[in-house]
Amino acid sequence: MGGLFVVKVVSIILHRKLRKALGNDRGDANYFSTVVFIFIAVLLLAFIIDLFSIISTKQEMDHCADQMVKQIQLSGGVNAETEELFRFLCSQINGAENISYSIDTTYRSPTPSGMHNAIQLGTPFYITITGEAKLGGFWNFDLVRINIVSRGAGVSEHYWK
């Protein structure tokens, strides 16, 4: 019972002090509070800029997935040109590391010459491109690692005899 009374008294005292502080029109500000406010504002700005760069990286990876889908659709599978296109598109992506892709589909067997994996006409395929980005502020502190995933889907347009 005594503990509940103490909590009520502390609550009433804090309530009165808060009401008094909010009703005060004086508006005191000192150098320390101004410096702290500016520091917090700069950190928030750094976080927002870093977040926009991650969004931009996600858009670049979505573009990469779309281009890879078009390449695989027209070639009918994965070959050296597909790998070369992926390397080129990855070199254009800023802000992501360890970018890789995987394709989920049913491959044709036996594999035609010049192809790593062939996809028969009308067979759907799904591509997943993954990469890692860092959220770390102005100095890239590597505070948070974010996995970015882009997906694409298509249907092979190549007939294999």
Side-chain angles (χ1 to χ4, degrees):
M1 183 77 175
L4 183 60
F5 177 73
V6 171
V7 170
K8 273 188 162 182
V9 169
V10 169
S11 174
I12 290 170
I13 292 171
L14 288 175
H15 188 308
R16 286 182 185 164
K17 284 186 177 185
L18 182 63
R19 186 182 297 167
K20 185 178 177 183
L22 290 175
N24 188 355
D25 292 336
R26 209 165 85 185
D28 287 336
N30 56 23
Y31 292 115
F32 180 73
S33 63
T34 304
V35 168
V36 168
F37 175 74
I38 291 172
F39 180 72
I40 291 172
V42 167
L43 286 179
L44 185 61
L45 182 64
F47 174 76
I48 290 170
I49 290 171
D50 215 15
L51 192 61
F52 280 128
S53 71
I54 290 175
I55 292 170
S56 174
T57 301
K58 169 69 168 134
Q59 289 176 336
E60 290 172 359
M61 287 181 63
D62 288 341
H63 174 72
C64 178
D66 291 341
Q67 294 299 313
M68 291 290 290
V69 166
K70 289 178 185 175
Q71 170 67 22
I72 294 169
Q73 279 179 330
L74 295 176
S75 67
V78 179
N79 57 14
E81 291 173 358
T82 309
E83 299 292 333
E84 184 178 331
L85 176 66
F86 182 71
R87 281 192 299 274
F88 172 74
L89 292 172
C90 287
S91 71
Q92 302 299 313
I93 296 174
N94 297 324
E97 301 171 346
N98 303 326
I99 302 173
S100 62
Y101 75 94
S102 63
I103 300 171
D104 182 25
T105 189
T106 304
Y107 294 108
R108 181 184 183 279
S109 182
T111 305
S113 66
M115 297 296 289
H116 301 310
N117 293 314
I119 304 171
Q120 190 56 273
L121 176 70
T123 304
F125 63 90
Y126 308 94
I127 186 167
T128 304
I129 299 176
T130 58
E132 292 179 353
K134 294 184 277 187
L135 185 63
F138 282 131
W139 301 281
N140 291 329
F141 280 132
D142 193 11
L143 297 175
V144 179
R145 291 189 96 34
I146 298 172
N147 289 327
I148 300 175
V149 178
S150 295
R151 291 186 172 88
V155 176
S156 176
E157 297 176 1
H158 196 281
Y159 177 71
W160 296 104
K161 294 181 184 181

